[in-house]
Amino acid sequence: MSSEIDKILDGCINKVVLIKLKNHTTIRGNLQAFDQHMNLVLTEVEDITEKEVKNLNKIILRGDNILIVSPHEK
Amino acid sequence: MSSEIDKILDGCINKVVLIKLKNHTTIRGNLQAFDQHMNLVLTEVEDITEKEVKNLNKIILRGDNILIVSPHEK
Amino acid sequence: MSSEIDKILDGCINKVVLIKLKNHTTIRGNLQAFDQHMNLVLTEVEDITEKEVKNLNKIILRGDNILIVSPHEK
Amino acid sequence: MSSEIDKILDGCINKVVLIKLKNHTTIRGNLQAFDQHMNLVLTEVEDITEKEVKNLNKIILRGDNILIVSPHEK
Amino acid sequence: MSSEIDKILDGCINKVVLIKLKNHTTIRGNLQAFDQHMNLVLTEVEDITEKEVKNLNKIILRGDNILIVSPHEK
Amino acid sequence: MSSEIDKILDGCINKVVLIKLKNHTTIRGNLQAFDQHMNLVLTEVEDITEKEVKNLNKIILRGDNILIVSPHEK
Amino acid sequence: MSSEIDKILDGCINKVVLIKLKNHTTIRGNLQAFDQHMNLVLTEVEDITEKEVKNLNKIILRGDNILIVSPHEK
């Protein structure tokens, strides 16, 4: 990824990000690490696709499932 | 990407672009950065697929979801 | 792409091309640039899939959506 | 592609080939050029999927759509 | 994969991980090895997608099927 | 491909192979050549998916359509 | 593939493995060879997806169809 996109993901480290997946799932978690394939390590993950939030704790998410990553701002 | 296509995306930096995705979603946002995979960083993003516009704020969009990117001209 | 295919796309620069996409859309536009992934830059683009033509103006089309590119001859 | 497969495609240059696509379309055309991705340039192209033949003239066909290429022998 | 993501997978060696696949299957197993494609070697594997758990013993899982890998904490 | 798999395909040259495709088609033909993408050149090809066999003569089969290749033994 | 995963597949040579494919087929066979794409050569292959076992004898299985490979233990 370009250093520009790296920089933005770097700025999200230890912050909450919202992730929409290609399979229509939406998850929210605290970004711990990422690599050049957009594989992400997230903690305190919640699947918020439906009203009933499901806790997933810590995950490694394969980058090829991702549609968008969004810094979460309240 | 060819320097020609880079140049055109470069010309869209800080401007509004319209993006059609393979999943039939249409979004509009201000282009901040891109890389050689067509991963895009966008701000002030709106999902305008349906009449009711949804605000997405700032996002990183994975390039492999993209169908077309279009400079937005009123 | 082979220099042969490059040459043919080169010969279409500033000319109208017809493009059929994998998603069954047909578009027509003026070819401005292309790269080795068959990403195309097109101007005066029209979606002619249905009778009612939709204007798309200038677009960058990701090459992996393409089925065929055809020089448009009347 | 191996020089063996190159040689066979080379032998089809300026000859009619039959092409079955992954999307169940069958086309027939005169092979003008090919590259290492199996992108093909064809002239006098006809879509013969259905009884009613559709003329497509000259096309560049993206190789990743191809199922089989067959030298056309009457 | 980045050394960061390698480090997290390394920390899961000989521990139970939960894996959600793109095909909606959920499996649980003891991580023995992994590579740069996220291919995983797992032992004591159970398919826990449905209430009735199915034992799969030792498997090599191709990485391109993976949605998420999660360290399993009770 | 590993030299081991190359060796086995080499041993099938000028012999009949059975090929199952990802699209549920089964074809049978005489293997003439192959490359590192598993692109195959076959002669005397027959589509034997259904009871009514269809003759395809000589074809180049793109490797990414293949499920399995099997030496045909009566 | 990592030498670790290579080692495990190496340990399966001349032994029976169970393979689940992405297309929901399950086959069982004797592993003869493999390469870095997880292409496998198998002998005495049986399709055991349904109750009625189908014999496939010797096959080359393209690695991109694989979900899991499992050493078969009775």
Side-chain angles (χ1 to χ4, degrees), chain B residues 4 13 24 30 33 54 59 64 74:
Chain B
E4 199 94 20
I13 294 288
H24 308 295
N30 200 302
K54 288 177 216 147
I59 66 168
D64 63 349
K74 291 201 180 182

Side-chain angles (χ1 to χ4, degrees), chain A residues 21 23 25 27 32-37 39-41 56-65, chain E residues 1-2 4-5 8-9 12 20 22 24 36-38 63-71 73:
Chain A
L21 304 181
N23 73 359
T25 303
I27 64 177
Q32 300 300 304
F34 63 92
D35 68 10
Q36 81 276 18
H37 305 295
N39 294 324
L40 306 180
V41 178
L56 300 169
N57 295 320
K58 184 174 185 169
I59 66 168
I60 299 167
L61 172 65
R62 255 183 84 95
D64 61 349
N65 296 289
Chain E
M1 297 186 281
S2 76
E4 199 93 23
I5 287 177
I8 284 155
L9 279 172
C12 294
K20 284 178 187 282
K22 288 176 185 165
H24 306 296
Q36 82 276 18
H37 304 296
M38 237 189 246
D64 62 349
N65 297 288
I66 292 174
L67 176 60
I68 63 173
V69 178
S70 172
E73 298 151 44

Side-chain angles (χ1 to χ4, degrees), chain B residues 4 22 37 63 66 69-70, chain C residues 33 35 58-60 62 64-65:
Chain B
E4 199 94 20
K22 290 177 184 164
H37 304 297
I66 293 174
V69 178
S70 172
Chain C
D35 67 11
K58 183 173 186 168
I59 66 168
I60 298 167
R62 254 183 87 93
D64 63 348
N65 296 289

